[in-house]
Amino acid sequence: MKKILAFVLALTMMLCAGIALADDADITVQGTAVISANPDMVSVTANASVSGKTVAGAQEEISRIIESVTTKLIELGVGEEDIITQDYGYYPTYNYESDTRTLTGYQANHTLKITCRDVEMLDSVIGVVTDCGMSEIYNVSYDVSTRSELYQQALAMAIEAARAKAEKMAQASGMTLTGLDSLTENGGYAEAYAVNSTADMAKASAGSAGTGIRAGGVSVTASVTAVYEARK
């Protein structure tokens, strides 16, 4: 008899615990926020490519071009620390018209990334690099200097968005939020507006009054995942 009573008591406790658990739930939500801003800086990636009979000849010509570009950009107002080499190299060139390939010379390349802290300088910068002999412009990218601050703002907004979503879900299911169980940053990014370009753009812009490039906007995105505890 005692065993039966003990079994009934245990079963009753399990049922009560099940009912209590049914009154509790976790609500998992994601919150995302995007902040847009006008760009206040612009970067240009340009390449100089020259041919020479010897490695030394190709290097000498490429060095002359880069020195000229750097000097004129600094005179224009670009900071020396904002003129950075992104790629440099040279390779042999051959003539394949006969059965045996023949060495014809060397090709040298030097790629610069130029960052302007004033977006109005873009046309002048492109004019300088093309006039000095950099025949290829890979891209023009607009950005914002306050990226970190904007991300912090977006992150706070994303957290608020997650809580608001959780409250709506709890209300719709007849529950009330009782606490925050976990909060995870999903990562974020600042997306610069890029204008892809080629050597044709460089040739077209040389000697012209302007490039006609129009700045876009910069968007900064933050996202979080939150798990809230809820109870009926």
Side-chain angles (χ1 to χ4, degrees), residues 8 16 40 60 76 105-106 109 202 204 207 228:
V8 172
C16 290
D40 61 2
E60 181 179 353
L76 190 64
Y106 293 87
N109 293 280
Y228 284 91

Side-chain angles (χ1 to χ4, degrees), residues 1-16:
M1 185 68 179
K2 290 181 178 180
K3 291 183 178 180
I4 295 175
L5 288 174
F7 176 76
V8 172
L9 181 60
L11 182 60
T12 302
M13 292 176 66
M14 291 174 62
L15 289 173
C16 290

Side-chain angles (χ1 to χ4, degrees), residues 32-36 154 157-158 189 218-222:
T32 303
V34 181
I35 295 180
S36 296
M157 292 168 60
Y189 59 91
V218 176
S219 63
V220 180
T221 303

Side-chain angles (χ1 to χ4, degrees), residues 34-200:
V34 181
I35 295 180
S36 296
N38 292 324
D40 61 2
M41 56 193 295
V42 60
S43 296
V44 177
T45 303
N47 181 68
S49 180
V50 300
S51 299
K53 292 295 184 181
T54 64
V55 173
Q59 288 179 330
E60 181 179 353
E61 177 62 15
I62 206 82
S63 295
R64 183 194 65 77
I65 292 174
I66 297 303
E67 183 178 350
S68 176
V69 168
T70 301
T71 299
K72 291 186 178 181
L73 286 175
I74 292 174
E75 291 175 354
L76 190 64
V78 178
E80 186 172 0
E81 68 281 4
D82 290 327
I83 307 171
I84 302 171
T85 294
Q86 280 205 323
D87 188 42
Y88 174 83
Y90 63 89
Y91 56 90
T93 56
Y94 298 93
N95 184 341
Y96 293 93
E97 293 180 359
S98 62
D99 294 337
T100 303
R101 69 177 187 177
T102 305
L103 178 67
T104 58
Y106 293 87
Q107 185 84 19
N109 293 280
H110 195 141
T111 304
L112 291 179
K113 181 178 181 181
I114 305 150
T115 301
C116 310
R117 307 292 169 174
D118 180 359
V119 296
E120 299 299 326
M121 293 174 61
L122 176 61
D123 284 352
S124 298
V125 167
I126 290 180
V128 165
V129 299
T130 54
D131 288 345
C132 290
M134 301 191 78
S135 57
E136 298 171 303
I137 297 177
Y138 294 146
N139 66 67
V140 175
S141 179
Y142 289 91
D143 208 342
V144 60
S145 60
T146 55
R147 173 189 313 192
S148 179
E149 292 86 344
L150 292 177
Y151 178 72
Q152 294 301 320
Q153 295 175 29
L155 186 61
M157 292 168 60
I159 294 171
E160 289 298 320
R163 179 172 180 82
K165 188 183 295 185
E167 288 177 343
K168 286 291 185 182
M169 293 176 66
Q171 182 181 4
S173 55
M175 307 185 81
T176 303
L177 297 184
T178 58
L180 177 63
D181 185 56
S182 68
L183 181 64
T184 305
E185 181 184 12
N186 297 333
Y189 59 91
E191 183 179 357
Y193 176 82
V195 180
N196 292 326
S197 184
T198 63
D200 289 338

